[in-house]
Amino acid sequence: MIKKILITGGAGNVGSSLTRKFLGLDGFFVVVVDNLLTGKIDNLPLTHLDNFQFINCDVNDFAQISEVMNYHRFDFVFHYAAVVGVQRTLQNPLWVLNDINGIRNVLELAKST
């Protein structure tokens, strides 16, 4: 049976490495969500794969991430979405605080789906 994996922040360094690892294994369908604020689309597979989907989504927006999570009903969730970089976080501290909403959204939806 195919296991569905969600990787938030999957276009970042850690998330994209995990994505590539799962895509190299049999039995997984990987969905990456990322708003591409700090992640890069070039970190993701550029060719069409039957076991991969990218969705431009902001986990801090409950409506956006709930649509994804309710549709797919994931078996595993890896949450790496966050504002990163010292300069970026110092210049935009409210973005960092908003990431708390993303954690809350992902945890709440993972618990209820």
Side-chain angles (χ1 to χ4, degrees):
M1 177 169 212
I2 300 291
K3 298 289 186 181
K4 287 188 175 182
I5 307 284
L6 171 65
I7 302 175
T8 69
N13 288 329
V14 174
S16 63
S17 293
L18 185 60
T19 298
R20 285 189 300 277
K21 181 67 173 176
F22 274 115
L23 291 176
L25 302 172
D26 290 333
F28 295 101
F29 180 82
V30 180
V31 175
V32 164
V33 297
D34 200 302
N35 66 2
L36 301 177
L37 179 67
T38 58
K40 297 180 179 77
I41 197 75
D42 293 341
N43 288 340
L44 299 172
L46 299 177
T47 58
H48 175 74
L49 300 171
D50 290 335
N51 64 334
F52 173 76
Q53 181 180 8
F54 170 74
I55 301 171
N56 190 323
C57 173
D58 187 346
V59 298
N60 298 336
D61 183 320
F62 186 82
Q64 285 185 28
I65 190 61
S66 65
E67 183 177 339
V68 172
M69 290 184 75
N70 287 323
Y71 177 80
H72 284 283
R73 316 289 273 184
F74 295 102
D75 296 297
F76 302 99
V77 176
F78 297 87
H79 180 58
Y80 294 104
V83 175
V84 295
V86 174
Q87 287 296 81
R88 189 175 291 112
T89 57
L90 289 174
Q91 293 171 352
N92 304 287
L94 293 179
W95 288 359
V96 177
L97 292 175
N98 196 33
D99 283 343
I100 294 168
N101 291 328
I103 295 167
R104 183 181 301 116
N105 292 343
V106 170
L107 287 174
E108 182 64 32
L109 289 162
K111 178 181 80 173
S112 65
T113 56

